[in-house]
Amino acid sequence: MALMSKDISFAINLIGLVILLSISISYATSTDIECLKEFKKSVKDPSNYLVSWDFNNKTEGFICKFTGIECWHPDENKVLNIRLSNMDLKGQFPSGFENCSSMTGLDLSNNKFSGSIPSDISTRLHYVTSLDLSSNDFSGEIPSGLANCSFLNSLKLSNNRFTGKIPLELGLLNRLKTFSVANNLLTGPIPKINSTSVSAEDYAGNQGLCGEFLTACQGAQRKSRVGIIAGAAIGGVTFTSLILGIVLCYFTRVVVKKKEEDPEGNKWAKSITGSKGIKVSMFEKSVSKMRLSDLMKATNSFTKDNIIGTGRTGTLYKAMLPEGYSLMVKRVQDSQRLEKEFVSEMNTLGSVKHRNLVPLLGFCVAKKERFLVYKYMENGTLYNKLHPAEPEVSDMDWPSRLRIAIGSARGLAWLHHNCNPRIIHRNISSKCILLDGDFEPKLSDFGLARLMNPIDTHLSTFVNGEFGDFGYVAPEYPRTLVATPKGDVYSFGVVLLELVTGEKPTHLVNVPESFKGSLVEWITQLSDNSLLQTAIDKSLLGNGFENELNQFLRVACNCVLPTAKERPTMFEVYQLLRAIGERYNFTTDEEITPLPSHSGDANFQDELIVAKEAK
């Protein structure tokens, strides 16, 4: 019941996210309609591409059927993206966008818009993450107000007639991944964009630009000559400054060393020192009774040297107890639950036991801090095993990877089909699959997404433009912000692709340099070109596993299908993986038997089909 009540609370908080994005849910629908009306009035449409924009239609979600309009949900008149590229549209920069206050993407590229970009553009495009105005006839200066569009991931202004300098304030957009102003009439120094994907090509075609990637700015050269003269002038005091610097460095190092030796230098840990006497609530009787002071001693007051992992749900610390054994302590990130709610949720999660779930041993509440105590997993995360920090090849053979896949699928299928009410993980990745001393996989973080502030976690995922932790989140989630079992299946499918290809979900290594997409996009491209087998990790080939690898890859591809209804259930995934690994005897008599209430859950439109084992 606690989990069910938290589902209701979670849904309410998700509504809060939409409120944050759209200012007020009560009038967002009407304002979005007004936004599109104003847009249509302010542009010329000689080719009648906007003929489908019929505002006499009063059915729910009617604007979502307009050409170029993407909605948060097909049945709600709430604009997510406006994509009107290459439609021969004319006019000044369109008006009315301030009423589309939930909009995240605007693409007006390859049209005939002219005039300048409004200086108050940041107030018109509240939460835009992608803005493409390339290949138009825009002119004038690029407004510095664009630097206030703090969620921007992509800004394309190339092939226009912009003049003047590029605002150096754009370098403050720390989320910016794509930036292009090529083929304009710009002059002066270029901003420092903190993105490895921005290159000289993004500034090409502007005769007056200088700086990084380009020719050195003349001002910089003059400064260099002045610097030589100034350097000679102050040469007389250099020796004295050097001596003084050495003395200051010595004392600074002493202070730093003292702070490192002083665990109380951790400010948040210091804030709870007065709560050391608080008891840690333990679920396992076999574990000795503990207090917060014991956890602080075991983690050296949660110093960074004890961190063994970080993620969206919080930071994980290794705790060394005097008795000689280890635990893991998670400091929960930004939990917004009241203490009573948190304790209720923990008591529920503490009763969830399965061989492929990391055992939750206890928890502790100290002021605003929340701590979870887990059994220690000696072999760390699957992510670190597949993608070691050192430049070495992962030494995981195919049977080990298959065993991990089967065990992880069994744990997730149990959460989906044997818990009542079911538990949706919401945060599946190779980083939350931990390996014990025998390399048995254990899912961590199950049930924790409910404890986070959904506005913070989901908005941060959304505005980063990556939609989730590193390429794992299903494509429908950014539109709906509703977690479903099929969303978990998609995330697990990405983990399966990691296992069989050896690649990370993003930042792929063994692919052509020209490819810039995610692991799923790469697999889709290979599948379309009948080259899917070339994606298999080369270290796994030539050992007689080719048939199993191909079957495994097909299961993974089915899990990451773009349409949720076409994906298998976790029960089916588990059964198919069991069949692939039948000859290894990885499984026991333990079975995942779906509860009747989970065989056709209308809330998630799941249709459970008992999978026939592939022979």
Side-chain angles (χ1 to χ4, degrees), residues 438-596:
D438 297 322
F439 280 87
E440 179 76 14
K442 313 271 188 179
L443 293 181
S444 66
D445 288 1
F446 56 91
L448 292 193
R450 233 188 300 265
L451 299 175
M452 303 299 100
N453 181 354
I455 291 179
D456 292 340
T457 56
H458 300 294
L459 181 60
S460 64
T461 295
F462 155 70
V463 299
N464 280 331
E466 298 170 350
F467 296 118
D469 229 354
F470 337 93
Y472 292 99
V473 175
E476 67 272 10
Y477 182 80
R479 298 192 303 271
T480 64
L481 291 181
V482 176
T484 69
K486 290 299 182 69
D488 274 2
V489 171
Y490 181 96
S491 302
F492 187 74
V494 179
V495 174
L496 295 182
L497 290 177
E498 283 184 85
L499 283 163
V500 73
T501 67
E503 294 285 354
K504 297 179 182 179
T506 56
H507 308 297
L508 281 64
V509 176
N510 299 310
V511 300
E513 291 185 3
S514 58
F515 182 80
K516 302 298 181 182
S518 67
L519 176 55
V520 172
E521 290 169 333
W522 181 50
I523 292 295
T524 301
Q525 185 181 93
L526 294 177
S527 179
D528 292 342
N529 295 302
S530 302
L531 298 172
L532 192 58
Q533 279 67 31
T534 62
I536 296 174
D537 190 336
K538 301 300 184 291
S539 69
L540 304 178
L541 298 174
N543 298 309
F545 303 124
E546 278 68 20
N547 185 45
E548 294 172 11
L549 288 165
N550 289 330
Q551 291 183 53
F552 188 95
L553 188 55
R554 286 198 295 271
V555 173
C557 289
N558 285 335
C559 290
V560 296
L561 289 171
T563 303
K565 289 183 179 180
E566 296 178 358
R567 298 173 204 146
T569 64
M570 271 313 304
F571 177 69
E572 291 177 297
V573 174
Y574 171 57
Q575 294 287 51
L576 291 170
L577 293 177
R578 282 184 68 236
I580 295 173
E582 186 175 14
R583 69 185 178 110
Y584 299 100
N585 298 316
F586 288 149
T587 57
T588 63
D589 294 334
E590 179 184 0
E591 274 290 340
I592 302 295
T593 305
L595 296 174

Side-chain angles (χ1 to χ4, degrees), residues 289-582:
K289 295 181 180 180
M290 287 190 291
R291 297 181 180 274
L292 178 58
S293 57
D294 298 317
L295 294 184
M296 295 189 74
K297 289 178 182 178
T299 59
N300 196 17
S301 287
F302 299 97
T303 55
K304 63 180 181 179
D305 292 337
N306 285 66
I307 295 177
I308 56 177
T310 58
R312 284 199 306 165
T313 57
T315 304
L316 196 63
Y317 297 84
K318 182 176 181 180
M320 293 290 295
L321 299 180
E323 293 86 348
Y325 61 90
S326 300
L327 298 173
M328 298 187 301
V329 181
K330 169 159 285 190
R331 181 199 177 204
V332 179
Q333 178 74 32
D334 296 329
S335 174
Q336 301 299 305
R337 302 296 182 221
L338 297 175
E339 181 174 343
K340 183 178 180 180
E341 293 177 317
F342 181 82
V343 170
S344 175
E345 191 73 27
M346 287 302 98
N347 286 328
T348 301
L349 292 179
S351 64
V352 178
K353 305 291 184 183
H354 186 268
R355 61 179 288 192
N356 293 115
L357 302 179
V358 177
L360 177 61
L361 303 179
F363 66 93
C364 181
V365 178
K367 297 182 179 179
K368 294 183 179 181
E369 298 294 337
R370 309 285 189 267
F371 302 99
L372 308 182
V373 181
Y374 292 101
K375 183 178 178 181
Y376 183 68
M377 298 289 113
E378 292 86 345
N379 282 303
T381 68
L382 174 60
Y383 181 90
N384 289 336
K385 290 297 180 184
L386 285 175
H387 319 296
E390 298 296 327
E392 60 186 31
V393 178
S394 173
D395 58 356
M396 293 185 67
D397 60 16
W398 170 242
S400 297
R401 300 191 196 198
L402 180 57
R403 180 191 177 202
I404 290 170
I406 293 172
S408 303
R410 181 168 53 231
L412 188 54
W414 189 84
L415 291 175
H416 280 195
H417 300 292
N418 274 63
C419 284
N420 193 14
R422 81 168 84 208
I423 296 178
I424 302 173
H425 193 288
R426 296 186 174 98
N427 195 29
I428 288 292
S429 72
S430 58
K431 291 184 178 180
C432 75
I433 297 175
L434 304 185
L435 307 173
D436 68 9
D438 297 322
F439 280 87
E440 179 76 14
K442 313 271 188 179
L443 293 181
S444 66
D445 288 1
F446 56 91
L448 292 193
R450 233 188 300 265
L451 299 175
M452 303 299 100
N453 181 354
I455 291 179
D456 292 340
T457 56
H458 300 294
L459 181 60
S460 64
T461 295
F462 155 70
V463 299
N464 280 331
E466 298 170 350
F467 296 118
D469 229 354
F470 337 93
Y472 292 99
V473 175
E476 67 272 10
Y477 182 80
R479 298 192 303 271
T480 64
L481 291 181
V482 176
T484 69
K486 290 299 182 69
D488 274 2
V489 171
Y490 181 96
S491 302
F492 187 74
V494 179
V495 174
L496 295 182
L497 290 177
E498 283 184 85
L499 283 163
V500 73
T501 67
E503 294 285 354
K504 297 179 182 179
T506 56
H507 308 297
L508 281 64
V509 176
N510 299 310
V511 300
E513 291 185 3
S514 58
F515 182 80
K516 302 298 181 182
S518 67
L519 176 55
V520 172
E521 290 169 333
W522 181 50
I523 292 295
T524 301
Q525 185 181 93
L526 294 177
S527 179
D528 292 342
N529 295 302
S530 302
L531 298 172
L532 192 58
Q533 279 67 31
T534 62
I536 296 174
D537 190 336
K538 301 300 184 291
S539 69
L540 304 178
L541 298 174
N543 298 309
F545 303 124
E546 278 68 20
N547 185 45
E548 294 172 11
L549 288 165
N550 289 330
Q551 291 183 53
F552 188 95
L553 188 55
R554 286 198 295 271
V555 173
C557 289
N558 285 335
C559 290
V560 296
L561 289 171
T563 303
K565 289 183 179 180
E566 296 178 358
R567 298 173 204 146
T569 64
M570 271 313 304
F571 177 69
E572 291 177 297
V573 174
Y574 171 57
Q575 294 287 51
L576 291 170
L577 293 177
R578 282 184 68 236
I580 295 173
E582 186 175 14

